Amino acid sequence: MAESRLETVDMFINMGPQHPSTHGVFRMVLTIDGEQIVDMKPHIGYLHRGVEKLAEGLRYREVTVLLDRTDYLAALNNELPYVMALEKLLDVKVPERAEYIRVLVCELNRIASHLMFYGAFGADAGATTPFMYAFRDREEIQHFFEAVTGGRLMHNYFRVGGVRYDLPEDWRERLTKLIPHLRKGIVDCERLLSDNEIFLNRTIGVGQISAADAIDYGLTGPNLRACGVRLDLRRDQPYSVYPKLEFDVPTRSRGDCYDRYLLRVEEMRQSLRIVEQCLEQMPDGPSLGEVPRVIRPKEGEVYVGTENPRGEYGIYLVSRGGDYPYRVKVRAPSFCNLMALNEMMRGCYIADCVLILGSIDIVLGEVDR
Amino acid sequence: MEVVWRESPSLALANGHGLYHHLPGVITAKTDYLFAMARKSSLWPLTFGLACCAIEMIGAYMAEHDLDRFGVVTWPSPRQSDVMIIAGTAVKKMAEPIKLLWEQMPLPKWAIAMGACATDGGPFQRSYSTVQGADQIIPIDVYVPGCPPRPQALLYGIIKLQEKIMAEASNRKAAV
Amino acid sequence: MTEEHSAHSVHTAPKKEPGPSLFPEMERLVAEVLSGIEVTSEQVVDEHAIIIDRKDLLAVCRRLKDNQRLSFDLLRCVSVVDYPNESVFQAVYHLYSIGLKHRMAVKTGIPYDDAIVDSVTSVWAGADWHEREAAELLGVEFRGHPNLRPLLLPDDFEGHPLRKSFKVPELDQARFRRGRE
């Protein structure tokens, strides 16, 4: 033979849906060239529970139960846009104390969610100890939640016009104990990973995405801020009592895994600052405003987006009268963030793909809904 | 219980020389029992979280609740695991992979349905895309109620499973 | 889209009365940028919303994104709502400008008998999965979408569950009977 024909065939690697580090039931099919990822095809829907359809068959007050279970790491943050949307449709005024309670528990939930990210990300990078540290602190937050809302993970706490229960009698003591504990916990976390040589080598420059691409794909939250875009709906589209509170919106510039990690650690600090201010400024008064017994909003529609730990969690609520919502569309931040995964992974090594997936911090419950 | 703890003389008796009388104790029991005891003390669940319950399951493994002290250590591959904990909603699209994983696990194997969704569909029971309970896909041994169950509830479920394993060992003769 | 459809003015859920927007400045600015395109403003609680014909969708989105004074660079959400009484779907695009910190919604009607609309993935790449989801759950086709495969449901699923006409199958009663026996 004068000429031998050699054909190159792409090699595929399937990951998931059962894989210990896919953060749920996410499946991706990687096309690889040697050790490098050429292309990644995500497959989702392994947790598609039909929340939007179910919500159309529930009364307005009952929908929060389902929304809790979409982004299950930050259940309280999910209830907020929904009750805010309903309040806008009903034109209900929320007492100030209720607003403060909402912000307080939302920010604590943000810390709990970021701690979960921290633990899982450490595990993705090959360190199991951070998981233990993160859960030590997370449990403390959950104990506080249990005292306030009655639930550890699923709360169903926010109501139209306020919150279900007022804070427990000893909330100040509990919180004053919790805050230093968390502050120390964050320092511990940082000392464990942030300057760790192995961790630095594994994360810096891995999974980079440019700001322009990130915006194009609709990234929000820490993933976008890690690229240097200062978008935080708490500040840019102020809601609740956030305008009265002082906090920074940290940004990073590189947009790689390390920046996304460091940004979340910094966000925990800022959230803690907000919690402290809530503790100081908490006004007296009712925790539930004047609300009609039967919730039957007038015809109309509203879109409310709030800052979830993972980005913008939006609810598009359409009412056509009656007791049931006509359409509840959930704008899930992880759903949008996941779209950019291919962009981040292309050209990276196959060993880093778990790390990159971990760094965008998806929750499959809201990706699939 | 048919397990009998004996002082060392019985071993000495078996040995015929009395050489091992310094040993602390000896168990005489049926082999079924011994195997069951070994099995219940090292249950390795498949690392397999489906939804919200997985977070509480992780919580049970972590520092505060520490499932390791029951001999429960997660294992990422179905080939070497003993227990499958269905922690979350089983969706129709996921049913096939769950079944596949279950079939890949070697005998003896057990399954725990954790939470309302895995028990009967829970809050998503009326949905078009969920399976109404994991027992429609695979046989379940222990149901843990709650939405999601607390880590303590999962601990209790695992203890119940251990009891069940021991009970199975003593009932085997009756069953056959 | 055929010519006779564009001859009708705007497909929309007719129960909502078009009225003046609550955000006059935004309305003026948008009208200025979209001059030459038929635009109806709509009353929405907290943002400016416009209704356009679906044939203008791509042009409108491009202009809204590229115009310096609007620069809607972030597509927050694409929602499609089913209105069976009017035999129309309504696609709603929620836009946000990161630099200028303002927001608006663009709506367009898609009639049942010709459920096809231009894909906006060429304007915002982030529309990709939103449109795939809508195509799967509501059965609206997005023309020009690079990859309109099913996203969430199993391959053998039939029907479009988010349509109002889709009835959720009853629970498997046999299972409960089995339990009772």
Tab-separated table of all heavy atoms in Angstrom, chain A residues 162-209:
chain	number	residue	atom	x	y	z
A	162	GLY	N	-45.933	38.833	54.999
A	162	GLY	CA	-45.067	38.683	56.170
A	162	GLY	C	-44.482	37.301	56.265
A	162	GLY	O	-44.166	36.678	55.254
A	163	VAL	N	-44.337	36.840	57.499
A	163	VAL	CA	-43.797	35.501	57.718
A	163	VAL	C	-44.758	34.738	58.616
A	163	VAL	O	-45.607	35.327	59.281
A	163	VAL	CB	-42.391	35.543	58.355
A	163	VAL	CG1	-41.381	36.090	57.376
A	163	VAL	CG2	-42.392	36.354	59.630
A	164	ARG	N	-44.600	33.434	58.646
A	164	ARG	CA	-45.558	32.579	59.337
A	164	ARG	C	-45.518	32.809	60.852
A	164	ARG	O	-46.540	33.011	61.479
A	164	ARG	CB	-45.236	31.120	59.012
A	164	ARG	CG	-46.063	30.099	59.737
A	164	ARG	CD	-47.496	30.079	59.246
A	164	ARG	NE	-48.318	29.136	59.997
A	164	ARG	CZ	-48.907	29.413	61.140
A	164	ARG	NH1	-48.752	30.587	61.697
A	164	ARG	NH2	-49.642	28.504	61.758
A	165	TYR	N	-44.352	32.694	61.435
A	165	TYR	CA	-44.226	32.898	62.881
A	165	TYR	C	-43.295	34.061	63.127
A	165	TYR	O	-42.386	34.317	62.354
A	165	TYR	CB	-43.607	31.676	63.570
A	165	TYR	CG	-44.175	30.361	63.171
A	165	TYR	CD1	-43.492	29.531	62.302
A	165	TYR	CD2	-45.392	29.935	63.690
A	165	TYR	CE1	-44.002	28.296	61.942
A	165	TYR	CE2	-45.912	28.703	63.327
A	165	TYR	CZ	-45.214	27.892	62.458
A	165	TYR	OH	-45.718	26.689	62.095
A	166	ASP	N	-43.509	34.691	64.265
A	166	ASP	CA	-42.521	35.671	64.695
A	166	ASP	C	-41.287	34.904	65.178
A	166	ASP	O	-41.322	33.695	65.365
A	166	ASP	CB	-43.108	36.526	65.823
A	166	ASP	CG	-42.408	37.876	65.891
A	166	ASP	OD1	-41.288	37.968	65.357
A	166	ASP	OD2	-42.972	38.809	66.461
A	167	LEU	N	-40.198	35.651	65.383
A	167	LEU	CA	-38.981	34.985	65.839
A	167	LEU	C	-39.200	34.419	67.246
A	167	LEU	O	-40.006	34.940	68.010
A	167	LEU	CB	-37.829	35.989	65.859
A	167	LEU	CG	-37.392	36.501	64.494
A	167	LEU	CD1	-36.458	37.675	64.647
A	167	LEU	CD2	-36.714	35.398	63.715
A	168	PRO	N	-38.511	33.343	67.584
A	168	PRO	CA	-38.681	32.796	68.940
A	168	PRO	C	-38.143	33.763	69.987
A	168	PRO	O	-37.366	34.667	69.675
A	168	PRO	CB	-37.857	31.506	68.894
A	168	PRO	CG	-36.876	31.718	67.815
A	168	PRO	CD	-37.539	32.587	66.807
A	169	GLU	N	-38.563	33.528	71.228
A	169	GLU	CA	-38.210	34.480	72.293
A	169	GLU	C	-36.705	34.649	72.441
A	169	GLU	O	-36.215	35.751	72.670
A	169	GLU	CB	-38.792	33.986	73.621
A	169	GLU	CG	-40.231	34.424	73.828
A	169	GLU	CD	-40.814	33.796	75.072
A	169	GLU	OE1	-40.022	33.409	75.957
A	169	GLU	OE2	-42.042	33.702	75.140
A	170	ASP	N	-35.976	33.547	72.322
A	170	ASP	CA	-34.542	33.621	72.599
A	170	ASP	C	-33.712	33.806	71.328
A	170	ASP	O	-32.559	33.425	71.282
A	170	ASP	CB	-34.094	32.344	73.322
A	170	ASP	CG	-34.376	31.110	72.485
A	170	ASP	OD1	-35.208	31.221	71.553
A	170	ASP	OD2	-33.780	30.062	72.742
A	171	TRP	N	-34.310	34.416	70.313
A	171	TRP	CA	-33.570	34.495	69.055
A	171	TRP	C	-32.331	35.338	69.161
A	171	TRP	O	-31.323	35.060	68.520
A	171	TRP	CB	-34.485	34.996	67.933
A	171	TRP	CG	-34.814	36.457	67.985
A	171	TRP	CD1	-35.784	37.041	68.726
A	171	TRP	CD2	-34.170	37.488	67.259
A	171	TRP	NE1	-35.791	38.388	68.509
A	171	TRP	CE2	-34.821	38.685	67.613
A	171	TRP	CE3	-33.120	37.527	66.342
A	171	TRP	CZ2	-34.433	39.918	67.091
A	171	TRP	CZ3	-32.738	38.750	65.823
A	171	TRP	CH2	-33.396	39.926	66.190
A	172	ARG	N	-32.396	36.396	70.012
A	172	ARG	CA	-31.219	37.253	70.121
A	172	ARG	C	-30.034	36.495	70.713
A	172	ARG	O	-28.905	36.585	70.220
A	172	ARG	CB	-31.525	38.477	70.992
A	172	ARG	CG	-32.171	39.586	70.195
A	172	ARG	CD	-32.454	40.811	71.026
A	172	ARG	NE	-33.382	41.679	70.315
A	172	ARG	CZ	-33.012	42.532	69.358
A	172	ARG	NH1	-31.739	42.640	69.029
A	172	ARG	NH2	-33.899	43.254	68.738
A	173	GLU	N	-30.305	35.715	71.762
A	173	GLU	CA	-29.209	34.945	72.358
A	173	GLU	C	-28.662	33.932	71.356
A	173	GLU	O	-27.456	33.785	71.208
A	173	GLU	CB	-29.693	34.200	73.609
A	173	GLU	CG	-30.055	35.080	74.788
A	173	GLU	CD	-31.511	35.525	74.749
A	173	GLU	OE1	-32.382	34.748	75.130
A	173	GLU	OE2	-31.769	36.667	74.302
A	174	ARG	N	-29.582	33.262	70.687
A	174	ARG	CA	-29.149	32.262	69.717
A	174	ARG	C	-28.276	32.899	68.629
A	174	ARG	O	-27.232	32.377	68.266
A	174	ARG	CB	-30.370	31.630	69.051
A	174	ARG	CG	-31.028	30.542	69.851
A	174	ARG	CD	-32.295	30.108	69.159
A	174	ARG	NE	-33.007	29.087	69.880
A	174	ARG	CZ	-32.784	27.782	69.723
A	174	ARG	NH1	-31.888	27.368	68.878
A	174	ARG	NH2	-33.467	26.904	70.421
A	175	LEU	N	-28.745	34.055	68.161
A	175	LEU	CA	-28.045	34.685	67.045
A	175	LEU	C	-26.702	35.259	67.496
A	175	LEU	O	-25.707	35.164	66.767
A	175	LEU	CB	-28.914	35.784	66.437
A	175	LEU	CG	-28.624	36.135	64.985
A	175	LEU	CD1	-28.736	34.922	64.106
A	175	LEU	CD2	-29.589	37.200	64.495
A	176	THR	N	-26.675	35.843	68.693
A	176	THR	CA	-25.395	36.386	69.156
A	176	THR	C	-24.379	35.275	69.377
A	176	THR	O	-23.178	35.495	69.296
A	176	THR	CB	-25.570	37.197	70.459
A	176	THR	OG1	-26.528	36.560	71.275
A	176	THR	CG2	-25.991	38.618	70.187
A	177	LYS	N	-24.866	34.065	69.667
A	177	LYS	CA	-23.940	32.939	69.769
A	177	LYS	C	-23.528	32.444	68.381
A	177	LYS	O	-22.399	32.043	68.159
A	177	LYS	CB	-24.606	31.789	70.534
A	177	LYS	CG	-24.047	31.600	71.934
A	177	LYS	CD	-24.637	30.356	72.560
A	177	LYS	CE	-25.584	30.721	73.687
A	177	LYS	NZ	-26.420	29.613	74.134
A	178	LEU	N	-24.502	32.490	67.470
A	178	LEU	CA	-24.267	31.915	66.139
A	178	LEU	C	-23.272	32.742	65.321
A	178	LEU	O	-22.410	32.193	64.633
A	178	LEU	CB	-25.609	31.801	65.404
A	178	LEU	CG	-25.591	31.248	63.983
A	178	LEU	CD1	-25.128	29.805	63.996
A	178	LEU	CD2	-26.962	31.345	63.341
A	179	ILE	N	-23.378	34.073	65.425
A	179	ILE	CA	-22.573	34.936	64.548
A	179	ILE	C	-21.068	34.727	64.756
A	179	ILE	O	-20.342	34.482	63.791
A	179	ILE	CB	-22.989	36.411	64.702
A	179	ILE	CG1	-24.364	36.606	64.073
A	179	ILE	CG2	-21.990	37.335	64.041
A	179	ILE	CD1	-24.994	37.942	64.351
A	180	PRO	N	-20.579	34.798	66.014
A	180	PRO	CA	-19.132	34.550	66.157
A	180	PRO	C	-18.725	33.142	65.745
A	180	PRO	O	-17.631	32.939	65.194
A	180	PRO	CB	-18.869	34.772	67.649
A	180	PRO	CG	-20.161	35.015	68.285
A	180	PRO	CD	-21.219	35.171	67.268
A	181	HIS	N	-19.630	32.205	65.979
A	181	HIS	CA	-19.331	30.830	65.558
A	181	HIS	C	-19.116	30.766	64.044
A	181	HIS	O	-18.161	30.166	63.560
A	181	HIS	CB	-20.500	29.932	65.966
A	181	HIS	CG	-20.266	28.481	65.691
A	181	HIS	ND1	-19.775	27.622	66.638
A	181	HIS	CD2	-20.431	27.751	64.567
A	181	HIS	CE1	-19.641	26.424	66.106
A	181	HIS	NE2	-20.041	26.466	64.854
A	182	LEU	N	-20.016	31.440	63.335
A	182	LEU	CA	-19.902	31.417	61.875
A	182	LEU	C	-18.663	32.175	61.417
A	182	LEU	O	-17.982	31.765	60.478
A	182	LEU	CB	-21.148	32.029	61.234
A	182	LEU	CG	-22.405	31.166	61.289
A	182	LEU	CD1	-23.562	31.916	60.671
A	182	LEU	CD2	-22.198	29.871	60.550
A	183	ARG	N	-18.395	33.295	62.097
A	183	ARG	CA	-17.242	34.084	61.673
A	183	ARG	C	-15.975	33.262	61.812
A	183	ARG	O	-15.131	33.249	60.921
A	183	ARG	CB	-17.160	35.365	62.521
A	183	ARG	CG	-15.928	36.192	62.179
A	183	ARG	CD	-16.054	37.624	62.577
A	183	ARG	NE	-17.126	38.302	61.883
A	183	ARG	CZ	-18.148	38.898	62.487
A	183	ARG	NH1	-18.213	38.901	63.798
A	183	ARG	NH2	-19.084	39.496	61.796
A	184	LYS	N	-15.893	32.551	62.918
A	184	LYS	CA	-14.736	31.691	63.116
A	184	LYS	C	-14.732	30.565	62.082
A	184	LYS	O	-13.696	30.190	61.550
A	184	LYS	CB	-14.777	31.101	64.532
A	184	LYS	CG	-13.523	30.328	64.886
A	184	LYS	CD	-13.583	29.821	66.302
A	184	LYS	CE	-12.520	28.764	66.544
A	184	LYS	NZ	-12.742	27.543	65.745
A	185	GLY	N	-15.932	30.064	61.801
A	185	GLY	CA	-16.034	28.988	60.816
A	185	GLY	C	-15.521	29.410	59.458
A	185	GLY	O	-14.821	28.655	58.786
A	186	ILE	N	-15.866	30.637	59.062
A	186	ILE	CA	-15.419	31.115	57.754
A	186	ILE	C	-13.901	31.250	57.733
A	186	ILE	O	-13.240	30.906	56.746
A	186	ILE	CB	-16.115	32.449	57.410
A	186	ILE	CG1	-17.616	32.225	57.247
A	186	ILE	CG2	-15.546	33.039	56.132
A	186	ILE	CD1	-18.427	33.494	57.188
A	187	VAL	N	-13.347	31.739	58.848
A	187	VAL	CA	-11.885	31.854	58.916
A	187	VAL	C	-11.252	30.472	58.804
A	187	VAL	O	-10.292	30.259	58.052
A	187	VAL	CB	-11.471	32.557	60.226
A	187	VAL	CG1	-9.968	32.508	60.390
A	187	VAL	CG2	-11.962	33.979	60.232
A	188	ASP	N	-11.829	29.513	59.520
A	188	ASP	CA	-11.319	28.135	59.443
A	188	ASP	C	-11.342	27.632	58.010
A	188	ASP	O	-10.378	27.039	57.528
A	188	ASP	CB	-12.207	27.211	60.298
A	188	ASP	CG	-11.854	27.311	61.765
A	188	ASP	OD1	-10.866	27.993	62.071
A	188	ASP	OD2	-12.575	26.719	62.587
A	189	CYS	N	-12.482	27.883	57.372
A	189	CYS	CA	-12.634	27.417	55.998
A	189	CYS	C	-11.551	28.008	55.121
A	189	CYS	O	-10.921	27.315	54.321
A	189	CYS	CB	-13.993	27.830	55.460
A	189	CYS	SG	-15.351	26.933	56.191
A	190	GLU	N	-11.367	29.309	55.276
A	190	GLU	CA	-10.390	29.978	54.420
A	190	GLU	C	-8.991	29.457	54.657
A	190	GLU	O	-8.218	29.257	53.728
A	190	GLU	CB	-10.424	31.486	54.698
A	190	GLU	CG	-11.408	32.203	53.815
A	190	GLU	CD	-10.798	33.441	53.236
A	190	GLU	OE1	-10.622	34.426	53.966
A	190	GLU	OE2	-10.477	33.407	52.034
A	191	ARG	N	-8.672	29.235	55.929
A	191	ARG	CA	-7.316	28.772	56.229
A	191	ARG	C	-7.066	27.389	55.674
A	191	ARG	O	-5.946	27.012	55.374
A	191	ARG	CB	-7.091	28.796	57.738
A	191	ARG	CG	-6.699	30.192	58.209
A	191	ARG	CD	-6.675	30.317	59.694
A	191	ARG	NE	-5.895	29.268	60.341
A	191	ARG	CZ	-5.971	29.013	61.631
A	191	ARG	NH1	-6.779	29.715	62.395
A	191	ARG	NH2	-5.245	28.068	62.178
A	192	LEU	N	-8.168	26.639	55.553
A	192	LEU	CA	-8.017	25.278	55.070
A	192	LEU	C	-7.732	25.225	53.569
A	192	LEU	O	-6.952	24.406	53.103
A	192	LEU	CB	-9.320	24.532	55.371
A	192	LEU	CG	-9.258	23.043	55.628
A	192	LEU	CD1	-8.251	22.745	56.705
A	192	LEU	CD2	-10.630	22.553	56.042
A	193	LEU	N	-8.376	26.101	52.811
A	193	LEU	CA	-8.268	25.968	51.352
A	193	LEU	C	-7.609	27.139	50.638
A	193	LEU	O	-6.807	26.941	49.744
A	193	LEU	CB	-9.657	25.757	50.739
A	193	LEU	CG	-10.226	24.347	50.728
A	193	LEU	CD1	-11.504	24.327	49.920
A	193	LEU	CD2	-9.260	23.356	50.126
A	194	SER	N	-7.943	28.366	51.055
A	194	SER	CA	-7.635	29.517	50.203
A	194	SER	C	-6.161	29.658	49.846
A	194	SER	O	-5.830	30.151	48.776
A	194	SER	CB	-8.110	30.803	50.862
A	194	SER	OG	-9.495	30.766	50.992
A	195	ASP	N	-5.270	29.265	50.742
A	195	ASP	CA	-3.848	29.407	50.441
A	195	ASP	C	-3.171	28.063	50.256
A	195	ASP	O	-1.953	27.960	50.269
A	195	ASP	CB	-3.146	30.181	51.560
A	195	ASP	CG	-3.743	31.553	51.708
A	195	ASP	OD1	-4.084	32.149	50.687
A	195	ASP	OD2	-3.904	32.017	52.852
A	196	ASN	N	-3.986	27.040	50.106
A	196	ASN	CA	-3.437	25.702	49.958
A	196	ASN	C	-2.791	25.559	48.582
A	196	ASN	O	-3.424	25.802	47.554
A	196	ASN	CB	-4.587	24.708	50.127
A	196	ASN	CG	-4.128	23.282	50.108
A	196	ASN	OD1	-3.299	22.913	49.283
A	196	ASN	ND2	-4.652	22.497	51.003
A	197	GLU	N	-1.528	25.179	48.588
A	197	GLU	CA	-0.762	25.139	47.340
A	197	GLU	C	-1.417	24.240	46.287
A	197	GLU	O	-1.551	24.616	45.119
A	197	GLU	CB	0.649	24.640	47.671
A	197	GLU	CG	1.635	24.701	46.534
A	197	GLU	CD	2.026	26.129	46.165
A	197	GLU	OE1	2.073	26.965	47.082
A	197	GLU	OE2	2.257	26.380	44.973
A	198	ILE	N	-1.839	23.063	46.735
A	198	ILE	CA	-2.438	22.117	45.778
A	198	ILE	C	-3.733	22.711	45.225
A	198	ILE	O	-3.992	22.671	44.024
A	198	ILE	CB	-2.739	20.777	46.477
A	198	ILE	CG1	-1.463	20.212	47.072
A	198	ILE	CG2	-3.353	19.798	45.502
A	198	ILE	CD1	-1.692	19.050	48.002
A	199	PHE	N	-4.507	23.270	46.140
A	199	PHE	CA	-5.788	23.846	45.728
A	199	PHE	C	-5.573	24.982	44.730
A	199	PHE	O	-6.265	25.074	43.721
A	199	PHE	CB	-6.520	24.341	46.980
A	199	PHE	CG	-7.891	24.869	46.708
A	199	PHE	CD1	-8.920	24.004	46.393
A	199	PHE	CD2	-8.147	26.223	46.776
A	199	PHE	CE1	-10.193	24.484	46.142
A	199	PHE	CE2	-9.410	26.708	46.525
A	199	PHE	CZ	-10.437	25.835	46.208
A	200	LEU	N	-4.588	25.828	45.016
A	200	LEU	CA	-4.307	26.948	44.101
A	200	LEU	C	-3.935	26.434	42.723
A	200	LEU	O	-4.433	26.913	41.703
A	200	LEU	CB	-3.167	27.803	44.651
A	200	LEU	CG	-3.452	28.610	45.910
A	200	LEU	CD1	-2.213	29.354	46.352
A	200	LEU	CD2	-4.581	29.578	45.668
A	201	ASN	N	-3.073	25.428	42.703
A	201	ASN	CA	-2.643	24.919	41.405
A	201	ASN	C	-3.780	24.286	40.624
A	201	ASN	O	-3.785	24.287	39.405
A	201	ASN	CB	-1.527	23.887	41.592
A	201	ASN	CG	-0.201	24.548	41.869
A	201	ASN	OD1	0.033	25.679	41.425
A	201	ASN	ND2	0.643	23.891	42.628
A	202	ARG	N	-4.708	23.723	41.373
A	202	ARG	CA	-5.799	23.056	40.663
A	202	ARG	C	-6.861	24.021	40.171
A	202	ARG	O	-7.600	23.699	39.250
A	202	ARG	CB	-6.455	22.022	41.589
A	202	ARG	CG	-5.589	20.827	41.749
A	202	ARG	CD	-6.283	19.512	41.578
A	202	ARG	NE	-7.280	19.395	40.556
A	202	ARG	CZ	-8.230	18.476	40.582
A	202	ARG	NH1	-8.294	17.646	41.574
A	202	ARG	NH2	-9.109	18.393	39.614
A	203	THR	N	-6.988	25.174	40.823
A	203	THR	CA	-8.135	26.019	40.494
A	203	THR	C	-7.795	27.283	39.713
A	203	THR	O	-8.633	27.773	38.971
A	203	THR	CB	-8.886	26.433	41.776
A	203	THR	OG1	-7.952	26.992	42.690
A	203	THR	CG2	-9.590	25.254	42.401
A	204	ILE	N	-6.604	27.818	39.879
A	204	ILE	CA	-6.329	29.094	39.205
A	204	ILE	C	-6.208	28.876	37.708
A	204	ILE	O	-5.479	27.990	37.250
A	204	ILE	CB	-5.052	29.740	39.778
A	204	ILE	CG1	-5.345	30.251	41.179
A	204	ILE	CG2	-4.574	30.893	38.902
A	204	ILE	CD1	-4.209	30.945	41.841
A	205	GLY	N	-6.945	29.673	36.975
A	205	GLY	CA	-6.904	29.592	35.523
A	205	GLY	C	-7.709	28.446	34.927
A	205	GLY	O	-7.705	28.256	33.724
A	206	VAL	N	-8.401	27.713	35.780
A	206	VAL	CA	-9.187	26.584	35.281
A	206	VAL	C	-10.638	27.024	35.107
A	206	VAL	O	-11.199	27.679	35.976
A	206	VAL	CB	-9.104	25.400	36.271
A	206	VAL	CG1	-10.065	24.307	35.881
A	206	VAL	CG2	-7.694	24.864	36.310
A	207	GLY	N	-11.212	26.663	33.986
A	207	GLY	CA	-12.623	26.958	33.768
A	207	GLY	C	-12.919	28.430	33.630
A	207	GLY	O	-13.906	28.923	34.163
A	208	GLN	N	-12.062	29.119	32.887
A	208	GLN	CA	-12.251	30.569	32.762
A	208	GLN	C	-13.382	30.887	31.793
A	208	GLN	O	-13.618	30.167	30.823
A	208	GLN	CB	-10.968	31.200	32.247
A	208	GLN	CG	-10.169	31.836	33.367
A	208	GLN	CD	-8.882	32.412	32.888
A	208	GLN	OE1	-8.216	31.823	32.039
A	208	GLN	NE2	-8.506	33.533	33.425
A	209	ILE	N	-14.048	31.982	32.067
A	209	ILE	CA	-15.041	32.486	31.126
A	209	ILE	C	-14.955	34.009	31.147
A	209	ILE	O	-14.735	34.614	32.198
A	209	ILE	CB	-16.454	31.973	31.462
A	209	ILE	CG1	-17.438	32.327	30.353
A	209	ILE	CG2	-16.942	32.446	32.806
A	209	ILE	CD1	-18.733	31.574	30.402
